[in-house]
Amino acid sequence: MANVSAIIPKEFTPTVYEALETQDNVIFFQWDLTADTFKLRKNTCRHRYDLPARFTRASTRLALDGIVHPDDANMLESYFHSIFHNHSADQRHQLSARLRLRGRKKPQWLWSEIRLITYYNDKHIPVVAFGNIRNIQAERLWQERINRRASIDELTGLLCKGTAQKQICTALRQLSPEKDSVTLLIVDADDFKSINDTFGHLFGDAVLREMGRAINSNFRQTDIRGRIGGDEFIVMLPGMASPEVTARHCARLCRSLSRVFNAGSKTHAFSISVGAAQFPQHGQSYRELFNHADQALYEAKRRGKGQYVLYDHDMPISSELIGRQDNSAAAVSSSQAVHDTEQSETIVELQARVQELESTLSCMEKLLNSLLVKQ
């Protein structure tokens, strides 16, 4: 029988390096900048990239041959600009970037972290670069999942309040009153509190989920759809200029959710009301459009509920609605203040925050992997 201790390394060996590279999904490469030749390190670990072991004209082929994702190809230009305009006395230039490289199988593109060290000759001309490629696809997908969970209302699957409001504000800032049109809708369940009181909160949650599904299927994928309150939803319809078309969509939504719930001896009618305002004639800011759509919603409820109403300048406004709109305005102002603060952060501060998050995610990923191995 072979002596087990004889195969245990006493120091770092090529076998140990290979095992570590495989564990961390890292491959190494050399880029001869004088000959413009790219080659992977020999005997490197198996990887998932559709990347030749050696090829010439690397500076152009990485982008033109589709090895680097087209949306990330500008990073190559930035790299060459940085190394040829590096005026420091150091004869090495270090660079780190995250981009997508073509994979051999699905998914077609793999998120990767590239680290490069570029060396210069005595005339300060870049000669050769050494680097590694780390597969961060799982980490990136996990990060996207976390971001998605933070922006989606779990109960209905629509956007949460903050995300919906931010997307609508961003879209409105890009519009021109002379050529663009938008319709903003506020959808509200009629007497929803009595639904909860009659059938319980679990039943009420099921009703809200049904409202979310109806809103999601009744409007286009390009429309912004979100839940902004307990039983209140918002929808922004870009390019919707026709009041007649909007009215048809909203009337269909009202009909699809109009019903009578029965549970034993308990019976309760259910309906929704919809208020609408249009850009630019009813307002050009989120606050103006929201307040006018909200006023139209209250008018729909005053007329008997279960219907759609488009804002009109002659509509009455109640004291209750004024208080509600004051609260809404305060919320919008608070959100704008946060946005302004975020805008004031420097690029360096933002990069530091991103790197800190990425480091945390990397540690969590390794911890989870170790726990899975132990199981």
Side-chain angles (χ1 to χ4, degrees):
M1 180 179 293
N3 186 358
V4 176
S5 62
I7 63 173
I8 299 178
K10 301 298 184 181
E11 58 186 13
F12 279 100
T13 65
T15 302
V16 173
Y17 282 117
E18 291 290 340
L20 290 173
E21 292 165 18
T22 304
Q23 179 70 20
D24 207 26
N25 294 319
V26 175
I27 57 176
F28 292 85
F29 64 88
Q30 176 182 344
W31 191 346
D32 185 336
L33 297 171
T34 303
D36 200 10
T37 301
F38 182 102
K39 62 179 179 180
L40 298 178
R41 199 189 80 171
K42 291 182 179 180
N43 299 321
T44 190
C45 63
R46 296 178 62 184
H47 59 84
R48 297 168 56 191
Y49 297 103
D50 186 12
L51 187 63
R54 185 183 186 279
F55 57 96
T56 58
R57 296 184 291 109
S59 57
T60 55
R61 288 184 60 185
L62 284 167
L64 295 180
D65 289 1
I67 297 173
V68 175
H69 192 284
D71 293 344
D72 300 331
N74 61 328
M75 292 189 184
L76 295 174
E77 297 179 12
S78 299
Y79 166 66
F80 282 108
H81 182 272
S82 64
I83 63 173
F84 282 103
H85 292 80
N86 180 26
H87 301 296
S88 67
D90 195 354
Q91 288 189 311
R92 293 189 309 175
H93 178 273
Q94 299 186 38
L95 177 72
S96 177
R98 292 191 164 204
L99 47 77
R100 287 158 289 184
L101 298 178
R102 189 174 64 208
R104 292 177 177 171
K105 300 179 181 179
K106 292 184 178 180
Q108 181 181 4
W109 299 102
L110 299 172
W111 276 103
S112 308
E113 182 178 53
I114 313 294
R115 295 184 183 275
L116 273 171
I117 301 178
T118 306
Y119 291 86
Y120 297 81
N121 61 16
D122 295 338
K123 297 180 180 179
H124 209 69
I125 297 174
V127 176
V128 65
F130 295 90
N132 62 32
I133 303 171
R134 185 168 71 92
N135 186 340
I136 58 169
Q137 180 73 3
E139 179 181 329
R140 187 74 182 201
L141 293 176
W142 188 13
Q143 184 177 349
E144 289 176 356
R145 181 180 179 185
I146 291 174
N147 293 340
R148 175 176 171 78
R149 290 187 65 179
S151 63
I152 298 297
D153 175 61
E154 292 186 5
L155 184 63
T156 63
L158 303 179
L159 296 175
C160 65
K161 179 179 180 179
T163 303
Q165 178 178 309
K166 185 176 181 180
Q167 289 190 12
I168 292 172
C169 288
T170 300
L172 289 174
R173 285 195 292 268
Q174 298 172 352
L175 298 181
S176 167
E178 290 75 25
K179 61 180 182 179
D180 294 316
S181 58
V182 160
T183 298
L184 187 73
L185 308 177
I186 299 179
V187 182
D188 188 81
D190 297 324
D191 300 322
F192 185 72
K193 182 178 182 302
S194 60
I195 292 287
N196 279 334
D197 293 342
T198 302
F199 301 105
H201 288 278
L202 289 179
F203 186 90
D205 287 348
V207 172
L208 292 175
R209 280 194 292 270
E210 179 61 25
M211 288 184 66
R213 283 193 290 268
I215 290 172
N216 197 45
S217 62
N218 194 68
F219 298 103
R220 302 164 298 182
Q221 292 300 311
T222 53
D223 298 333
I224 300 173
R225 296 148 293 172
R227 181 186 178 201
I228 58 174
D231 60 337
E232 193 170 49
F233 300 80
I234 193 167
V235 182
M236 176 178 162
L237 311 173
M240 186 64 71
S242 170
E244 294 78 15
V245 174
T246 305
R248 285 201 303 271
H249 277 280
C250 293
R252 185 170 63 221
L253 181 65
C254 289
R255 287 195 303 270
S256 68
L257 290 170
S258 178
R259 63 197 62 182
V260 176
F261 294 121
N262 296 284
S265 60
K266 299 178 180 179
T267 300
H268 199 292
F270 178 77
S271 63
I272 65 166
S273 296
V274 182
Q278 293 188 310
F279 173 97
Q281 58 266 42
H282 300 150
Q284 298 182 25
S285 68
Y286 176 87
R287 178 178 175 180
E288 290 176 321
L289 290 172
F290 183 93
N291 285 346
H292 289 154
D294 204 26
Q295 192 171 341
L297 173 67
Y298 267 69
E299 179 64 15
K301 291 181 178 291
R302 190 187 68 82
R303 295 180 186 180
K305 304 175 184 177
Q307 58 186 287
Y308 156 80
V309 170
L310 177 64
Y311 173 77
D312 184 272
H313 291 287
D314 296 328
M315 284 180 179
I317 181 169
S318 66
S319 58
E320 180 184 359
L321 183 58
I322 292 175
R324 170 182 161 90
Q325 292 183 348
D326 287 342
N327 292 334
S328 174
V332 172
S333 299
S334 175
S335 176
Q336 185 62 45
V338 171
H339 175 73
D340 292 342
T341 301
E342 291 175 347
Q343 289 292 96
S344 66
E345 289 183 304
T346 66
I347 297 298
V348 174
E349 291 170 335
L350 288 173
Q351 288 176 337
R353 288 173 57 196
V354 170
Q355 289 175 356
E356 182 179 358
L357 176 60
E358 290 172 347
S359 177
T360 302
L361 289 172
S362 179
C363 292
M364 291 176 67
E365 179 186 9
K366 292 177 180 178
L367 176 60
L368 285 175
N369 288 336
S370 66
L371 291 174
L372 290 173
V373 170
K374 290 179 180 179
Q375 291 179 351

